């Protein structure tokens, strides 16, 4: 059997690596499924909304536990990184408040010239939020139980 291969040249590989470094990505924590059954319309609709210049600044993906929300979000997250639709992309784990704070504060480590004092969590979160308000940024809050809990982490600009 003949197997098709795509070889990326060194120049293309280096360019892609440079791009991924500038993305300041916090990688998705869950394994990635690349094939979904019965989710084609959902993927198409969400991809279109997240890639375009939609007037909507926030998209909420919700439902009962165990139906694949995180897998779908991880798939879209990685797809959007590949298309360079966002200048920054961050995956934040919301399992506990402490974990969310730690993940959010790690964003500052990826942004040159943005100093935050980890001991001052509230002011540091505010500083990071103010920075990302001026960027085309994709934030995935995984495992959040309530969208109201996220208000202090979301950009305020409309």
């Amino acid at each position: 059997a003949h197997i098709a291969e795509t070889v990326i040249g060194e120049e293309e590989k280096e360019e892609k690596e440079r791009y991924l470094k500038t993305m300041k990505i916090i990688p998705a924590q869950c394994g990635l499924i690349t094939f979904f059954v019965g989710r084609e319309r959902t993927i198409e609709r969400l991809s279109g909304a997240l890639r375009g210049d939609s007037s909507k600044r926030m998209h909420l993906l919700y439902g009962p536990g165990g139906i694949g929300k995180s897998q779908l979000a991880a798939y879209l997250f990685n797809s959007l990184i590949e298309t360079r639709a966002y200048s920054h992309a961050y995956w934040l784990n919301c399992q506990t408040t402490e974990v969310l704070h730690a993940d959010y504060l790690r964003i500052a480590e990826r942004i040159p010239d943005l100093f935050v004092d980890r001991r001052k969590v509230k002011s540091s979160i505010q500083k990071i939020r103010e920075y990302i308000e001026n960027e085309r940024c994709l934030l995935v809050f995984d495992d959040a139980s309530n969208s109201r809990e996220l208000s202090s982490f979301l950009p305020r600009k409309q």
Side-chain angles (χ1 to χ4, degrees), residues 72-143:
L72 185 58
Y75 174 79
L76 291 166
F77 182 85
N78 287 306
S79 296
L80 290 163
I81 289 168
E82 288 296 318
T83 64
R84 302 178 185 195
Y86 291 87
S87 58
H88 305 283
Y90 304 105
W91 184 276
L92 305 157
N93 185 333
C94 301
Q95 215 166 25
T96 67
T97 302
E98 293 77 21
V99 171
L100 174 56
H101 285 171
D103 274 4
Y104 203 84
L105 291 173
R106 280 196 353 224
I107 292 173
E109 295 170 7
R110 307 278 184 156
I111 301 170
D113 305 323
L114 183 64
F115 173 76
V116 298
D117 184 348
R118 288 180 158 273
R119 296 169 297 180
K120 298 178 181 177
V121 175
K122 278 189 176 183
S123 64
S124 295
I125 288 170
Q126 180 179 345
K127 235 176 156 175
I128 294 165
R129 189 190 69 234
E130 288 170 357
Y131 175 84
I132 63 175
E133 283 176 348
N134 298 308
E135 302 292 325
R136 181 147 167 81
C137 197
L138 174 65
L139 300 173
V140 175
F141 293 90
D142 187 34
D143 211 13

Side-chain angles (χ1 to χ4, degrees), residues 19-114:
Y19 167 72
L20 290 175
K21 284 180 185 175
T22 65
M23 285 290 292
K24 302 169 182 75
I25 299 162
I26 295 173
Q29 300 298 316
C30 56
L32 183 61
I33 293 175
T34 58
F35 182 74
F36 292 90
V37 176
R39 294 280 176 98
E40 295 82 9
R41 285 194 334 209
T42 303
I43 290 170
E44 190 176 309
R45 192 174 66 244
L46 284 169
S47 290
L50 293 169
R51 278 192 179 96
D53 263 342
S54 172
S55 62
K56 303 270 190 244
R57 294 195 35 105
M58 185 168 65
H59 297 274
L60 184 62
L61 181 60
Y62 63 95
I67 63 168
K69 296 177 301 296
S70 293
Q71 289 295 324
L72 185 58
Y75 174 79
L76 291 166
F77 182 85
N78 287 306
S79 296
L80 290 163
I81 289 168
E82 288 296 318
T83 64
R84 302 178 185 195
Y86 291 87
S87 58
H88 305 283
Y90 304 105
W91 184 276
L92 305 157
N93 185 333
C94 301
Q95 215 166 25
T96 67
T97 302
E98 293 77 21
V99 171
L100 174 56
H101 285 171
D103 274 4
Y104 203 84
L105 291 173
R106 280 196 353 224
I107 292 173
E109 295 170 7
R110 307 278 184 156
I111 301 170
D113 305 323
L114 183 64

Side-chain angles (χ1 to χ4, degrees), residues 3-30:
I3 299 174
E5 284 186 308
T6 303
V7 179
I8 297 176
E10 278 302 309
E11 192 174 295
E12 292 162 319
K13 183 179 175 185
E14 288 172 9
E15 194 273 330
K16 184 176 180 178
E17 286 173 3
R18 275 193 306 275
Y19 167 72
L20 290 175
K21 284 180 185 175
T22 65
M23 285 290 292
K24 302 169 182 75
I25 299 162
I26 295 173
Q29 300 298 316
C30 56

